[in-house]
Amino acid sequence: MSPISKPDGSSPPARPANSPADETAASPAVETAASPGGGPPRPRSEAVPAAEQATRDLAAQFEDEKPGRVLSGPAGWLVSATALAVGALALWQVFRPLSQGSKYYLIIFLAGVLPLVFLAYPAGLRLPARLRTRRQRTASAESTPATTGSTRPTVTDWVLVALAVAACLYPVLPIRIGGGGGGYNAFLDRQGLLASTDLVFGTVLLLLLLEACRRTTGWILPAICLLFLGYGYYGGLLPQAWPVAHAGLDFSQLVDAFYNSDSGFYGTPLDVAASYIVLFTIYGAVLELSGAGRFFVELSAAAFRRSRTAAGRTAVASGFLLGTVSGSGAATTVSIGAVTWPLLRRAGYPPERAGGMLAAAGVGAILSPPTLGAAAFIIAEYLGVSYLQVLGWATVPTVLYYLGILLAVEIDARRSGVRPVVVDVGSPWRLLGRFGYHFASLIAIIAFLAAGVSATRAVVFATALAVALSFLDRAHRLTPGRLVTALVTGVRGVLAVTAVCAAAGIITATTTKTGLGPQAAALLIGGAQAATSDPTLVLVLTALLAAVALSLLGLAVPVTASFVIGWVIVGPALLDLGVTAPAAAMFVFYFAVLSEVSPPTALAAVAAAAITGGRLVPTMWQTLRYALPAYLTPIAFVITPAGLGLLGIGGVQRIAFAAVVTALSVAVLAVAAGGWLPGVGPAGVPERALGVFAGVTMLWLEPVPVTVGATLAAVAAAGVFIRRGSAGRPPSRSAANPVEEQL
């Protein structure tokens, strides 16, 4: 993702062809006509499908950090056919697992997916100008970001495809190749004593995975993998007095750990991608093609159509509803932004503030049950618990996250005097009556999980239900052809995360072999103990250091990789200090997720700026302001036992106490960040500073800190009242007449 640079060196975000940032641009939300019976509006012209396609293309660009190719011809057919076969295999594995075991399935799955990465994602490398021919320089000068996404695979790409197929299928090939080969069982028998042929193919697969990660996420993750690889190989040369020193591993031991162990390429992260994520991406594609996404946005608009803050509330509610099936922060940001940005613009929101709101709401998709981000499935596998338990842990924090954003929306509306917008979408009850069946599959997932059905079977059953219900809407019936499209789209959506999950095996295997996890944990705890000897303060400082480390790590790598690295490095430190495994895992998970709204990278904010046309850096800071309470809430998971109530762990009394107090803390922090107390007026700097201190104090979920924090919050509120009395009631800046907007 490399926007065209301005003359001053800054990089404006790219806009889709139908960018709503243009006042005259047609939004898919505006250029519609109401359907008979109050259903979702139908397109007035063919411009709407084109606009929706442009939105999907932009969303795909931000799904990962690099855009993929738009393939056609033989390459397109090959990718579609292979993706269809992989999707069918994933569904088959749910009900009729391969008799050779799960690792055998992972080998076949990776052999189907990895070659597609080299066809679907361009290399993005260019020779220096002095080394290129005149024809190449001319073609490069004439190319644009729009055309580079549709380039055909090169000869190099096809060579990498062949190598990927060979390296992935080598462990199961029944033929002898030199001293290796001989089939799956023979390959497993050579664990720890790999033949030279095994080492060659293992090295090739290692290099291919690094290249696949580079194509899909950029240079940072491959560099981190190489750093771990170098540590495993050269760590034996470090002074043995150093805590991170180890006995040393030779290259064959490392390749064996990566290629022929359960903690390497075919470890838990890839298992999660092949067993869970691919099924949920297929489910999301089915819901999208059945019209669920548009229904969720329109229902949000209908629910708040008569509210003064209808535009902002619609954006936030849309982010939550779309997040229940998306699991991708940046892509959800694009989806809701393309529809709700015209409403926000008409209401008077500046592009940067609207972009911050959209990005914060979109990132909530990774936190919203029942489809959390990929790292949530890894949590379930690492801790050996059901996915339903992870959903339970995420429920209260998700509600608190969106509560903070909604409060910020209300505060902004009063502080900035945004104009009311009348959204003409009809009655929400009529929409629910006609299209409410889209919720059925979401409810079905929870019901199946509660009944003890595995997560894989639950999502397959829910997908089948969504397909059957799609025939209630003639415009979105999932005919066999469209069903194949959904299956292919779902598999293509998992290409990048599969590459990341397989490459994460380099990190986990190196950490396991060298014992880096306990050593890093000891360093982290030692740093906190150098400042204080009090056990409670050591835990607090360790949590703060871990939060900073995870935030910095998440700036450079995707959420899934950030969680895996954070869990093997930070997780042991928290566990050693007595933090429970659920609290430690969710702590790492939330800070990995929040990296998508953290400057200076903030991928979701970049996506939002691409929609609104706002300046990138101010959009990032606005996003941070909206999401500020979410950065502090995870601290409460780990510093006190009462914090487990936020994860739904403990009795009803603990859960209610933790939820109510943290909600009050979030409200106080939102007022402090927004500088406005609803119903009263603006808050000055002293009141805001006092509010921040009060909100943070209440996150220490013990009676004394909660009492102190509540008292300080009351004092801050009293200060706002006094300020209002001395200054007089501020005049309202809202427009006398609302702006009408048809959705």
Side-chain angles (χ1 to χ4, degrees):
M1 184 173 54
S2 55
I4 303 173
S5 298
K6 291 181 180 179
D8 61 2
S10 61
S11 296
R15 297 180 184 173
N18 64 317
S19 174
D22 186 353
E23 187 70 28
T24 62
S27 165
V30 177
E31 296 300 316
T32 56
S35 296
R42 301 298 179 214
R44 284 180 176 161
S45 69
E46 294 301 320
V48 175
E52 292 178 347
Q53 182 60 46
T55 300
R56 284 194 291 269
D57 292 344
L58 186 63
Q61 174 178 344
F62 290 102
E63 183 75 28
D64 311 299
E65 292 189 5
K66 285 194 169 186
R69 289 185 173 112
V70 179
L71 295 171
S72 59
W77 282 104
L78 177 61
V79 168
S80 297
T82 307
L84 182 62
V86 170
L89 175 63
L91 294 172
W92 179 270
Q93 179 71 7
V94 173
F95 300 100
R96 294 288 186 271
L98 299 181
S99 59
Q100 295 90 340
S102 61
K103 186 174 180 178
Y104 189 91
Y105 164 66
L106 295 181
I107 292 173
I108 302 301
F109 181 85
L110 187 62
V113 170
L114 185 60
L116 299 186
V117 173
F118 300 112
L119 295 178
Y121 290 87
L125 297 174
R126 293 185 178 182
L127 291 172
R130 59 187 178 83
L131 299 180
R132 281 181 280 167
T133 65
R134 177 180 300 178
R135 182 177 180 180
Q136 288 174 324
R137 289 195 295 268
T138 303
S140 175
E142 294 176 351
S143 66
T144 64
T147 60
T148 53
S150 59
T151 55
R152 297 178 180 179
T154 64
V155 173
T156 302
D157 295 330
W158 287 108
V159 171
L160 294 178
V161 167
L163 288 174
V165 172
C168 290
L169 290 181
Y170 167 77
V172 300
L173 291 178
I175 58 175
R176 283 284 178 181
I177 304 177
Y184 181 57
N185 292 330
F187 179 75
L188 294 182
D189 290 340
R190 293 193 298 274
Q191 185 173 358
L193 296 170
L194 295 186
S196 57
T197 313
D198 301 331
L199 292 176
V200 169
F201 281 100
T203 303
V204 170
L205 184 56
L206 169 66
L207 297 175
L208 290 172
L209 286 173
L210 293 175
E211 170 61 9
C213 285
R214 187 198 65 79
R215 290 189 179 210
T216 56
T217 67
W219 287 97
I220 302 299
L221 181 56
I224 291 176
C225 291
L226 289 173
L227 181 64
F228 273 83
L229 180 64
Y231 169 73
Y233 188 75
Y234 293 106
L237 302 179
L238 297 174
Q240 292 302 303
W242 289 14
V244 295
H246 59 86
L249 299 169
D250 61 34
F251 189 72
S252 63
Q253 289 175 305
L254 289 170
V255 173
D256 177 75
F258 300 153
Y259 199 33
N260 201 358
S261 76
D262 293 334
S263 62
F265 300 146
Y266 306 109
T268 298
L270 181 61
D271 190 14
V272 165
S275 302
Y276 296 95
I277 302 173
V278 65
L279 298 177
F280 275 85
T281 56
I282 292 172
Y283 170 63
V286 165
L287 275 187
E288 174 66 25
L289 287 178
S290 68
R294 186 171 184 82
F295 162 70
F296 290 152
V297 175
E298 289 168 354
L299 180 62
S300 302
F304 304 116
R305 69 190 190 283
R306 301 190 185 280
S307 168
R308 177 184 180 184
T309 55
R313 291 182 181 180
T314 298
V316 176
S318 300
F320 171 73
L321 291 176
L322 288 177
T324 59
V325 297
S326 172
S328 170
T332 303
T333 299
V334 172
S335 298
I336 63 175
V339 177
T340 60
W341 163 234
L343 303 181
L344 296 170
R345 182 181 63 232
R346 296 293 180 90
Y349 282 93
E352 292 77 16
R353 184 172 298 169
M357 181 193 305
L358 293 171
V363 166
I366 314 178
L367 308 174
S368 301
T371 307
L372 302 176
F377 298 98
I378 299 178
I379 292 176
E381 291 295 312
Y382 278 169
L383 301 188
V385 300
S386 69
Y387 182 60
L388 182 61
Q389 283 186 271
V390 180
L391 294 183
W393 298 341
T395 299
V396 175
T398 298
V399 173
L400 293 173
Y401 178 80
Y402 279 102
L403 172 65
I405 300 176
L406 280 174
L407 289 173
V409 167
E410 300 297 325
I411 290 169
D412 278 353
R414 286 154 179 79
R415 183 181 184 184
S416 304
V418 300
R419 299 183 294 271
V421 176
V422 176
V423 184
D424 183 16
V425 289
S427 167
W429 301 111
R430 186 172 295 178
L431 276 173
L432 278 173
R434 176 64 182 88
F435 297 98
Y437 60 82
H438 287 299
F439 286 112
S441 61
L442 294 171
I443 298 172
I445 291 179
I446 304 298
F448 284 128
L449 291 174
V453 178
S454 67
T456 53
R457 292 197 174 196
V459 70
V460 172
F461 292 151
T463 303
L465 178 60
V467 171
L469 292 175
S470 71
F471 285 86
L472 295 176
D473 183 4
R474 180 178 301 178
H476 294 94
R477 290 176 179 174
L478 288 177
T479 58
R482 301 186 76 222
L483 193 56
V484 169
T485 300
L487 200 62
V488 171
T489 301
V491 173
R492 282 204 60 164
V494 83
L495 296 184
V497 74
T498 298
V500 169
C501 287
I506 300 172
I507 298 166
T508 55
T510 302
T511 304
T512 301
K513 280 284 188 180
T514 61
L516 177 62
Q519 295 165 346
L523 283 175
L524 193 60
I525 296 173
Q529 289 175 336
T532 179
S533 59
D534 183 84
T536 302
L537 293 180
V538 168
L539 175 58
V540 173
L541 287 176
T542 301
L544 292 176
L545 290 173
V548 172
L550 290 168
S551 298
L552 293 175
L553 175 66
L555 297 178
V557 298
V559 172
T560 304
S562 178
F563 173 80
V564 171
I565 299 171
W567 179 247
V568 300
I569 302 298
V570 172
L574 297 175
L575 295 175
D576 289 346
L577 292 174
V579 177
T580 63
M586 295 304 287
F587 177 89
V588 176
F589 172 63
Y590 271 81
F591 277 105
V593 169
L594 290 173
S595 65
E596 288 215 10
V597 295
S598 300
T601 53
L603 185 59
V606 175
I611 287 291
T612 65
R615 294 170 297 166
L616 187 54
V617 173
T619 299
M620 290 182 178
W621 288 114
Q622 289 293 333
T623 303
L624 183 62
R625 181 175 68 85
Y626 277 103
L628 179 62
Y631 282 86
L632 301 175
T633 301
I635 302 292
F637 296 170
V638 300
I639 60 175
T640 62
L644 291 175
L646 293 174
L647 303 178
I649 299 174
V652 176
Q653 185 176 358
R654 172 193 276 183
I655 296 172
F657 172 78
V660 171
V661 172
T662 309
L664 179 59
S665 172
V666 167
V668 173
L669 290 171
V671 170
W676 190 279
L677 182 61
V680 182
V685 173
E687 292 86 1
R688 296 176 71 177
L690 194 60
V692 170
F693 187 72
V696 172
T697 302
M698 281 189 286
L699 288 176
W700 195 296
L701 297 172
E702 297 293 341
V704 173
V706 168
T707 302
V708 172
T711 302
L712 294 176
V715 172
V720 178
F721 272 102
I722 294 172
R723 181 182 299 275
R724 175 197 180 189
S726 61
R729 186 177 182 86
S732 174
R733 285 179 286 175
S734 60
N737 298 317
V739 178
E740 293 189 0
E741 183 74 45
Q742 183 180 359
L743 187 69

